[in-house]
Amino acid sequence: MADTTHSVLFIEDDPFMIDMYTHVMEKHGYSVESATDGLEGLKKAQSGKYDLILLDIMMPEMLGIEVLEKLRKDEADLENTKIVVLTNLAQSEDSRRALEAKADGYLIKADVTPSKLVELMGKILGK
């Protein structure tokens, strides 16, 4: 279990992925909220206080890369929030754009199990 509860916003359009990953994150002591499209995720991220945002790239309403760019435009509001891009796209252009837009990490969904994600979250959050 996590020593301190870290708050996580999981922006993902696949309900199965939300359920699976949320269950594992909560089991490890994380407080998790979710959003099922980019616009909803952007609004939640701007109005809430999160230690970590997990952000899918391909989503309805607004692409994850657009959400990331908007969130990182004003560093003052989210200066302590880590943002990790989760995607099925392994293309280098997407990776480059995400990192240039100041993502704190870029993970390919097919390469990451829920338990591996929790382990990586701990490293990113310094636990």
Side-chain angles (χ1 to χ4, degrees):
M1 289 293 190
D3 296 331
T4 345
T5 301
H6 287 282
S7 58
V8 177
L9 175 59
F10 188 28
I11 307 172
E12 165 67 56
D13 63 329
D14 182 335
F16 174 76
M17 296 290 288
I18 291 172
D19 289 345
M20 179 177 61
Y21 282 94
T22 297
H23 174 75
V24 173
M25 288 185 276
E26 287 176 344
K27 183 178 172 185
H28 284 85
Y30 292 95
S31 169
V32 183
E33 286 189 44
S34 63
T36 56
D37 67 58
L39 195 54
E40 177 190 9
L42 178 63
K43 288 177 184 175
K44 282 189 174 186
Q46 290 174 329
S47 65
K49 175 83 173 121
Y50 302 98
D51 298 305
L52 176 67
I53 297 172
L54 298 173
L55 178 61
D56 187 15
I57 291 285
M58 298 304 295
M59 288 185 301
E61 304 302 326
M62 180 183 286
L63 294 175
I65 196 73
E66 295 173 283
V67 173
L68 178 61
E69 289 167 351
K70 288 183 185 300
L71 291 176
R72 287 303 194 207
K73 243 183 210 178
D74 185 8
E75 284 289 331
D77 292 342
L78 295 168
E79 64 184 333
N80 296 319
T81 302
K82 303 292 185 192
I83 301 176
V84 174
V85 172
L86 279 170
T87 186
N88 283 323
L89 303 174
Q91 299 154 338
S92 60
E93 175 65 17
D94 293 311
S95 179
R96 183 187 64 74
R97 283 187 66 206
L99 293 173
E100 283 180 1
K102 301 184 183 173
D104 296 291
Y106 182 92
L107 302 171
I108 306 300
K109 289 179 188 178
D111 297 340
V112 181
T113 63
S115 58
K116 183 70 173 171
L117 176 63
V118 169
E119 179 183 323
L120 293 170
M121 288 168 58
K123 289 178 183 175
I124 289 167
L125 293 170
K127 300 189 324 154

